[in-house]
């Protein structure tokens, strides 16, 4: 109740919030019953109170009605109303002919300004004075048996019955049970139970006691006594929630065991609700609808069986599924009060308005049997409406209020669920403003007998947008208007339907704008057309059954026949058939013959005149009489229970053959050729126990169905034999004593002998069989059978057979046997030859076409028979992969759904009928690669210990690489919202899983993400990871105390202090103006110094270059290259060679040899790749991260070595044409090579000194390994600047003998097994003097190892080899290219290297070194000018 009050209060709050006119709109008044009267059993002469209480504001007037008439309580001395509204009845009067207090009571509450509500109907029953309809009878009982003492009273007095033994009250528990009839059941009687018994009925103020009877307890002599029912279960109805006892009291010896079944399912005491009480009665507490059904009691004692059944019917009081809700409405609107109820039986629904029954009419209609529709509201319709639901066991009601507002008051906007669609537009709230004028020129556009179509013009003064129009109409002279609204704004016509013919209606039109409804148009009258041509509906149509196969239909002429009736057409249909038939009739009645028995038919009549068919009547329904069943019961089976009883089971006749309600079944049984006997059961019973049969005797049974009209045909005779003796069926049978099998070609004959223990019931044998397992197939045979032939087996196959005896308890222990069926006399034909020439052709990354030839086919390989081919395939990774198979009838098959970059093996075999070949030779195919379909996993960022500006990025390969990973791209940025192309990019060559990034800004949040690539392209980007670099040591103590934190994307952190630089680094704590002055000063000073140094170096370089060019030209003028007929070679440009450094991957002096130190952040001009015009815009966007300007290089060699700007070579780039050309370098035996300049000032010697490697080089370098080992960015460790040695005595040996050679191999070459890091060499064949490294003469002197130098891999051996340089290119970003392969030449021994270093120290002076450095600077600037152009 509190919830209901809360709901009403919330409704009031919502109402006041939805409308700003609380003073205008009346609110719904809380008005309901808190307590309603309940059904009461009163005692004659006693007092009774019928409770009633109302919640109302203001207070309500309460009255009482009895049997529909108000009670006058003012002058009534026995009946009075208590202050809260309850009715007190004193000294209830009740006699045989005068019952003034018994009846139906209702509490009526009224509020004058609101309305009236009526409570539920309470039934008061008066029990009357106690009296007995019959006295108990003295009886005797044997010890241990059950007896019953009757006490016959009226059903309403049973609750007041008490039993006494020796004048002491009997406790009704354990062995004592009071049955629903009032009788006392005593089970397991003992001597203490003997003595006098009497029953008494005690009511308020009076009691009555029965005669006293004696119960005698006899000793048990052990003699057999026939079972008999002392009390059978009887049909009973109960209301849900009550407790029911189904009695089943049986006496006999041996003591019987009682079981209960429901719908042939045994009832066990599964829950606390269902229990066995007394000797075997069934008690169900809190019954529900699911408990309803037919219950059967079975009593067995081994000698005989008794059974009885009864139906339990559970009734459910009405319950509301949907209650009506309060409604606001305007006059002329249509509304619907919705009400949905349920119950058993299904309740009927009535409506009450202000305490009076609503009578259906043209304006009050019951819709869908439960909802109330009110059409064309008028002010008097306002009030309280109640939905009343009633059935046999109760009644409930729910109320709702209707408030009719003035037309200028908008309807509140909380859910108007009960308004019809025709009035939905009234929900729009109106605002203050000018209303539209009246619509103009409203006329009837189309007039028919049942509808009128109206049209009009918009108002002259709409005063805003017209939202809708409302058309009000009513019968001429009636005061109840209805309304129909336009469906869309702008509609200027509407069709009014459901009108009556030849009736005059009054119409008017009103326009609505956002301020509300405007003026109404002048009313005008339109009359519908009369039905002047065709006849109206026939009157008083009645259908009445005459017999099981005929129905007579009668009717009267239409009221408006519009001329002579030519004939009538009678339409009829069997309900559920779906097809209507008709017959022409010339009179006012017709008898339909040949109909189905006990079948429902529907009829309607249409009258015809000369103009055609008239209006059809409403359908009427009639059902033919029942007849005898036309078919016998189905599935009659017999179950031998013991030596004296057989249970007969059956199913009802097929649907459609019952011809009425089955009231029972006749069971006829006989022994041998005798006449036999008959037993009858109820109509709902589908089994019957036949007792008193002879032992070891065969009986035949048949069953027929019964209706009220007679007995139908009988089923066929079925026979069964009673047992010779009563065997034990409390356990499963033993295993059969023997089992023998005899194989055939397509079958096995199984024979057996029964179990040795003949005292256990065997109802049959279960035979299981199958190839290798006896559980494939199972069949059952009768218990008399001793052999069985299993048929339809495969020849020459090994079968396992099992045999088990079974009974009602279950199957016994199995007996096993095995045998093989005989082979066919004609041997199988020779096997098929396997397919040959199996080939696997790779089509895509996930499909491979497999083709083959069949040697057993003719040369044209045309298949003309029913052979088919089976292909199976698998991959060896993982090792436990299973074969997949597919069948085809052609000589090829496309296998799809394969994994990319995976090796598969395929084989084929052919099958023709029962012949099949072995598998063919395998063919192999590796699917193509495709781009990775998943990002790298487990991306983590950690700070490098001791280097707060350097971080280490780690990750794991993608789970779906779809090929060999050739590299990764790391994206990082300080702005997570920046476009992807604006993030700084770090390429990582190869399949390394870690990378170093250095020179980050301290105390700055960076965001990282990564993508993998293979030869087919880039995969998807991973989720970003946030990392904040440590704070500066001066700002927050030591770095180690505040380690950096890597945040997930959801935990983004931001810089706290200072303004961020372009790369996200915060400014220092200095004043911004001071900081600006310092930065400008340092910048100006640096620029001046760079300009001065550049001028000095340029002058020296130009002078030295002129001298060297003159010397080289004089030495080269008369020489040709061996094997080359051209004098002029294309330029060999090594672009940005001072930025290219190749490192080994197998070992590095760095503590993290696999990491790459990369100075960041960089600006967008770090590297300018070569690109064509088509890709220019695209690459400029992609390359915005690539580093510093080329002109920012260091001005000295030592400066370059200290901080060398690294070159990023995106390995997916491929230029439209080569940029770097490297040509073959021939053997040093060729004397034409002596022209190369190798004097003391050669710059190459100084460069070579820092590239010496004392470790041997692997034997070969694969293209992919070389690409993998080439790090995109790495700092070169500093080394001492020792002058390079020069040899004047062996000029022919100081030419390019051991010069490293760059060799870019095509991507299609086979990968080699060993990895090595290449060095690069480009032969100087152009006056620009590309950076060629002069070979070291193979002298016996050795170099001194350079400290901290980056080692290079070298090839073992000292013999010089001939190397060739093939065309190579460094392409643009975004273009696919094959991995770069570099051929690395041999390097000198350690001893030779040491000597060379010593010679270098002794031959170079400081001035020469400075001169060589200046010369290198000049070469670099020349190359920069060319590459920039």
């Amino acid at each position: 109740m509190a919830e209901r009050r809360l709901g009403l209060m919330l409704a009031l709050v919502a109402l006041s919030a939805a409308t700003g006119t609380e003073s205008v709109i009346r609110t719904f008044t809380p008005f309901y019953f808190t307590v309603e009267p309940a059904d009461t059993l009163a005692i004659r002469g006693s007092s009774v109170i019928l409770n009633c209480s109302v919640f109302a504001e203001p207070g309500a007037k309460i009255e009482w009605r009895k049997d529909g008439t108000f009670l006058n309580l003012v002058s009534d001395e026995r009946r009075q109303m208590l202050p809260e509204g309850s009715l007190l009845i004193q000294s209830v009067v009740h006699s045989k002919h005068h019952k003034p207090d018994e009846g139906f009571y209702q509490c009526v509450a009224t509020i004058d300004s609101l309305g009236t509500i009526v409570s539920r109907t309470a039934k008061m029953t008066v029990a009357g004075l106690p009296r007995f309809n019959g006295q108990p009878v003295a009886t005797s009982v044997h010890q241990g048996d059950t007896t019953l003492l009757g006490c016959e009273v009226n059903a309403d007095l049973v609750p007041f019955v008490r039993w006494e033994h020796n004048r002491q009250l009997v406790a009704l528990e354990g062995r004592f049970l009071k049955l629903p009839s009032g009788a006392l059941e005593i089970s397991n009687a003992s001597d203490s139970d003997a003595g006098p018994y009497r029953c008494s009925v005690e009511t308020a103020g009076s009691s009555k006691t029965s005669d006293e009877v004696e119960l005698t307890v006899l000793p048990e002599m052990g003699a057999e006594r026939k079972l008999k029912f002392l009390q059978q279960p009887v049909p009973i109805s109960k209301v849900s929630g009550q407790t029911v006892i189904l009695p089943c009291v049986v006496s006999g010896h041996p003591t019987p065991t009682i079981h209960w079944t429901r719908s042939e399912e045994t009832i066990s005491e599964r829950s606390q609700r269902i229990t066995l009480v007394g000797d075997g009665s069934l008690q169900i507490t809190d019954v529900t609808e699911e408990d309803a059904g037919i219950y059967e009691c079975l009593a067995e004692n081994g000698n005989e069986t008794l059974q009885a059944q009864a139906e339990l019917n559970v009734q459910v009081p009405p319950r509301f599924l949907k209650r009506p809700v309060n409604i606001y409405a305007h006059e002329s609107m249509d509304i619907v009060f919705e009400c949905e109820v349920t119950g058993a039986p299904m309740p009927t629904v009535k409506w009450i308005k202000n305490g009076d029954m609503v009578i259906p009419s043209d304006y009050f209609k019951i819709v869908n049997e439960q909802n109330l529709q009110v059409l064309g509201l008028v002010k008097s319709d306002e009030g309280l409406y109640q939905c009343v639901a009633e059935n046999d066991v109760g009644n409930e009601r729910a109320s709702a209020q209707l408030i009719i507002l003035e037309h200028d008051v908008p309807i509140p906007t909380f859910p108007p669920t009960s308004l019809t669609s025709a009035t939905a537009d009234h929900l729009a709230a109106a605002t203050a403003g000018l209303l539209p004028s009246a619509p103009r020129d409203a006329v009837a556009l189309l007039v028919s007998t049942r509808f009128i179509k109206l049209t009009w013009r918009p108002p002259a003064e709409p005063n805003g947008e017209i939202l809708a129009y409302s058309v009000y109409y009513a019968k001429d002279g009636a005061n109840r208007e209805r309304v129909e609204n336009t469906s869309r704004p702008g509609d200027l016509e509407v069709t009014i339907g459901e009108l009556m013919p030849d009736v005059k209606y009054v119409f008017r039109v009103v326009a609505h704008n956002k301020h509300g409804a405007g003026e109404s148009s002048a009313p005008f009258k339109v009359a519908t057309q009369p039905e002047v041509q065709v006849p109206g509906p026939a009157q008083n149509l009645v259908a009445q059954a005459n017999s099981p196969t005929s129905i007579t239909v009668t009717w009267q002429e239409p009221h408006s026949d519009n001329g002579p009736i030519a004939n009538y057409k009678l339409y009829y249909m069997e309900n559920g058939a779906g097809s209507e038939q008709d017959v022409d009739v010339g009179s006012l009645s017709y008898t339909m013959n040949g109909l189905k028995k006990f079948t429902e038919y529907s009829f309607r009549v249409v009258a015809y005149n000369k103009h055609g068919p008239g209006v059809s009547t409403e359908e009427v329904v009639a059902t033919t009489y029942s007849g005898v069943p036309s078919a016998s019961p189905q599935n009659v089976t017999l179950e031998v229970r013991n030596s004296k009883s057989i249970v007969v089971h059956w199913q009802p006749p097929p649907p459609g053959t019952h011809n009425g309600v089955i009231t029972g079944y006749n069971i006829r049984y006989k022994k041998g050729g005798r006449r036999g006997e008959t037993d009858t059961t109820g109509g709902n019973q589908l089994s019957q126990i036949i007792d008193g049969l002879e032992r070891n005797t065969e009986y035949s049974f048949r069953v027929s169905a019964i209706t009220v009209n007679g007995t139908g045909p009988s089923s066929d005779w079925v026979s069964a034999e009673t047992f010779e003796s009563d065997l034990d069926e409390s356990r499963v049978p033993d295993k059969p004593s023997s089992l023998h099998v005899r194989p055939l070609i397509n079958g096995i004959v199984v024979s057996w002998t029964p179990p040795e223990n003949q005292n256990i019931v065997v109802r049959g044998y279960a035979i299981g069989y199958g190839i290798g397992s006896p559980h494939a197939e199972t069949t059952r045979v009768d218990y008399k059978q001793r052999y069985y032939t299993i048929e339809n087996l495969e020849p020459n196959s090994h079968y396992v057979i099992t045999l088990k005896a079974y009974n009602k308890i279950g199957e016994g222990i199995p007996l096993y046997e095995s045998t093989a069926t005989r082979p066919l006399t004609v041997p199988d034909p020779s096997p098929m030859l396997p397919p040959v020439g199996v080939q696997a052709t790779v089509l895509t990354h996930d499909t491979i076409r497999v083709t083959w030839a069949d040697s057993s086919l003719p040369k044209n390989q045309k298949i003309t028979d029913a052979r088919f081919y089976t292909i199976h395939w698998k991959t060896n990774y993982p090792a436990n992969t299973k074969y997949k198979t597919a069948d085809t009838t052609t000589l090829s098959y496309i296998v799809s759904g394969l994994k990319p970059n995976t090796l598969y093996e395929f084989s084929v075999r052919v099958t023709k009928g029962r012949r099949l070949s072995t598998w063919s030779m395998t063919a192999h195919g590796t699917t193509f690669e495709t781009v990775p379909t998943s990002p790298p996993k487990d991306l983590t960022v950690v700070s490098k210990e001791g280097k707060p500006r350097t971080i280490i990025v780690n990750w794991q390969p993608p789970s779906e690489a779809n090929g060999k990973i050739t590299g990764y791209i790391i994206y990082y940025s300080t702005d997570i919202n920046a476009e992807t192309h604006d993030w700084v990019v770090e390429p990582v060559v190869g399949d390394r899983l870690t990378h170093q990034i250095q020179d980050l800004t301290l105390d700055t949040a960076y965001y990282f993400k990564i993508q993998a690539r293979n030869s087919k392209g880039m995969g998807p980007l991973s989720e970003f990871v946030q990392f904040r670099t440590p704070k500066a040591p001066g700002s927050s103590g030591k770095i180690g105390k505040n380690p950096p934190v890597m945040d997930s994307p959801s935990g983004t952190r931001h810089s706290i202090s200072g303004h961020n630089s372009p790369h996200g680094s915060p400014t220092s704590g200095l004043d911004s103006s001071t900081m600006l002055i310092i930065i400008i000063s340092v910048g100006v000073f640096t620029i001046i110094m760079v300009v001065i140094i550049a001028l000095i170096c340029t002058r020296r370089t130009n002078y030295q270059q002129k001298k060297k060019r003159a010397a080289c030209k004089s030495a080269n003028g008369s020489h040709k290259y061996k094997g080359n007929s051209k004098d002029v070679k294309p330029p060999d440009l090594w672009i940005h060679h001072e930025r290219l450094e190749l490192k080994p991957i197998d070992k590095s002096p760095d503590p993290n040899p696999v990491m790459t130190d990369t100075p960041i952040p960089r600006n967008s001009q770090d590297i300018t790749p070569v690109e064509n015009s088509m890709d220019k815009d695209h690459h400029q966007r992609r390359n915005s991260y690539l580093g510093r300007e080329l002109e920012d290089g260091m001005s000295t060699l030592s400066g370059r070595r200290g901080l060398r700007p690294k070159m990023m070579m995106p390995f997916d780039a491929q230029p439209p044409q080569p940029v770097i050309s490297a040509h073959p370098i021939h053997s040093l035996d060729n004397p034409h090579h002596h022209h190369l300049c190798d004097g003391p000032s050669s710059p190459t010697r100084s460069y070579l000194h820092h590239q010496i490697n004392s470790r041997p080089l692997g034997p070969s370098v694969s293209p992919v390994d070389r690409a993998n080992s080439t790090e995109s960015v790495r700092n070169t460790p500093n080394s001492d600047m020792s002058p390079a040695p020069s040899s004047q005595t062996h000029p022919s040996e100081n030419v390019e003998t051991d010069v490293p050679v760059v060799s870019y191999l095509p991507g299609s070459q086979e990968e080699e097994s060993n990895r090595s890091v290449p060095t690069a060499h480009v032969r100087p064949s152009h006056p620009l003097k590309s950076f060629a490294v002069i070979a070291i003469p193979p002298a016996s002197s050795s170099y001194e190892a350079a400290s901290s130098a980056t080692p290079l891999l070298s090839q073992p051996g000292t013999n010089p080899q001939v190397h060739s340089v093939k065309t190579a290119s460094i392409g643009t970003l975004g273009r696919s290219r094959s991995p770069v392969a570099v051929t690395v030449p041999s390097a000198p021994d350690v001893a030779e290297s040491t000597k060379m270093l010593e010679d270098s120290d002794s031959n170079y002076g400081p001035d020469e070194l400075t001169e060589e450095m200046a010369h290198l600077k000049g070469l670099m600037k020349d190359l920069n000018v060319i590459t920039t152009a």
Side-chain angles (χ1 to χ4, degrees), residues 873-987:
W873 66 91
K874 64 170 290 189
T875 178
N876 291 327
Y877 182 80
N880 58 351
T881 303
K882 296 182 179 179
Y883 277 103
K884 294 184 178 180
T885 62
D887 294 336
T888 182
T889 57
T890 62
L891 295 176
S892 65
Y893 184 79
I894 296 178
V895 181
S896 58
L898 305 179
K899 296 181 180 179
N901 193 38
T902 304
L903 175 64
Y904 286 89
E905 65 176 33
F906 303 87
S907 56
V908 187
R909 74 178 180 189
V910 61
T911 302
K912 179 180 178 182
R914 297 178 59 186
R915 301 172 57 198
L916 73 162
S917 70
T918 57
W919 291 104
S920 68
M921 299 289 288
T922 58
H924 296 81
T926 301
T927 51
F928 295 147
E929 294 185 0
T930 186
V931 297
T933 53
S934 64
K937 302 180 296 184
D938 304 334
L939 177 63
T940 58
V941 182
V942 297
S943 179
K944 186 172 182 180
E945 184 178 358
K947 295 184 179 181
R949 297 167 63 88
T950 300
I951 58 94
I952 300 173
V953 184
N954 302 294
W955 63 91
Q956 292 297 318
S959 57
E960 298 176 3
N962 298 336
K964 182 176 179 61
I965 296 298
T966 57
Y968 298 90
I969 295 291
I970 301 173
Y971 295 79
Y972 65 95
S973 173
T974 58
D975 182 7
I976 190 175
N977 297 319
E979 296 293 335
T980 302
H981 59 74
D982 292 330
W983 288 47
V984 182
V985 175
E986 282 289 332

Side-chain angles (χ1 to χ4, degrees), residues 629 631-636 649-654 664-666 686 702-706 712-716:
S632 62
Q634 307 176 89
N635 303 329
V636 179
H649 299 272
W650 64 89
Q651 293 296 321
Y665 293 93
N666 269 343
L686 297 177
R702 67 180 184 183
V703 185
S704 57
I706 305 172
S714 298
S715 64
D716 295 333

Side-chain angles (χ1 to χ4, degrees), residues 223 345 364 492 553 558 563 596 640 704 730 767 1111:
F364 287 87
L492 297 176
V553 185
K596 296 181 180 179
V640 181
S704 57
S730 62
I767 303 171

Side-chain angles (χ1 to χ4, degrees), residues 47 155 172 227 318 499 521 526 732 792 852 867 1037 1201 1254:
S47 299
L172 299 176
L227 296 182
L499 304 180
S521 67
V526 180
V732 297
N792 301 321
W852 60 89
R867 70 181 64 199
R1201 187 176 66 232
S1254 61

Side-chain angles (χ1 to χ4, degrees), residues 201-217:
V201 179
E202 297 181 3
T203 59
S206 63
S207 65
K208 191 168 186 178
T209 304
S210 70
D211 296 340
E212 200 168 51
V213 295
E214 189 75 18
L215 174 64
T216 304
V217 179

Side-chain angles (χ1 to χ4, degrees), residues 1165-1352:
Q1165 304 298 326
D1166 193 52
I1167 290 181
T1168 304
V1170 179
E1171 56 188 53
N1172 58 16
S1173 60
M1174 294 177 63
D1175 298 331
K1176 181 175 181 181
D1177 295 338
H1178 172 70
H1179 295 317
Q1180 285 179 351
R1181 184 175 70 255
R1182 289 287 306 276
N1183 296 342
S1184 60
Y1185 60 87
L1186 288 179
R1188 307 175 187 272
E1189 292 285 353
L1190 295 177
E1191 289 79 12
D1192 293 342
M1194 306 302 291
S1195 60
T1196 64
L1197 181 60
S1198 61
R1200 282 198 306 275
R1201 187 176 66 232
L1203 179 60
R1204 179 179 304 153
K1206 303 303 185 290
M1207 178 179 184
M1208 298 181 181
M1209 297 175 61
F1211 36 82
D1212 60 336
Q1214 179 65 39
Q1217 61 187 7
V1219 177
I1220 301 177
S1221 297
H1223 298 280
I1225 300 177
H1226 306 288
S1227 173
L1228 295 179
D1229 296 337
N1230 186 357
H1232 297 286
H1233 286 236
H1234 297 176
H1235 71 279
L1236 294 176
C1237 301
D1238 56 350
S1241 63
S1242 175
T1244 61
R1245 288 179 175 267
S1246 178
Y1247 176 80
L1248 179 64
H1249 175 73
H1250 304 285
Q1251 302 296 332
I1252 297 301
N1253 180 15
S1254 61
R1255 291 181 287 112
L1257 179 69
S1260 60
V1261 180
S1262 69
V1264 177
D1265 290 344
R1266 184 171 294 106
N1268 292 344
S1269 63
T1270 305
E1271 297 178 10
S1272 60
V1273 181
R1274 184 185 294 274
N1275 281 343
T1276 305
N1278 293 334
S1279 61
D1280 294 336
M1281 285 283 296
S1282 301
S1286 101
S1287 176
Q1288 304 294 337
T1289 59
H1290 302 284
S1292 63
E1293 296 180 359
N1294 281 345
V1295 195
E1296 305 172 47
T1297 305
D1298 291 327
V1299 175
V1301 179
V1302 177
S1303 177
Y1304 294 91
L1305 304 179
S1308 61
Q1309 294 181 4
E1310 292 294 331
E1311 297 183 6
E1312 299 180 16
S1313 59
N1314 297 330
R1315 292 188 176 187
S1316 64
V1317 178
T1319 58
H1321 167 77
V1322 181
R1323 180 184 52 78
S1325 60
H1326 193 271
L1328 289 178
K1329 297 181 182 290
S1330 295
F1331 200 48
V1333 181
I1334 304 304
I1336 305 300
S1340 59
S1341 61
S1342 61
Y1343 287 105
E1344 180 180 350
S1347 62
S1348 302
T1350 302
L1352 298 177

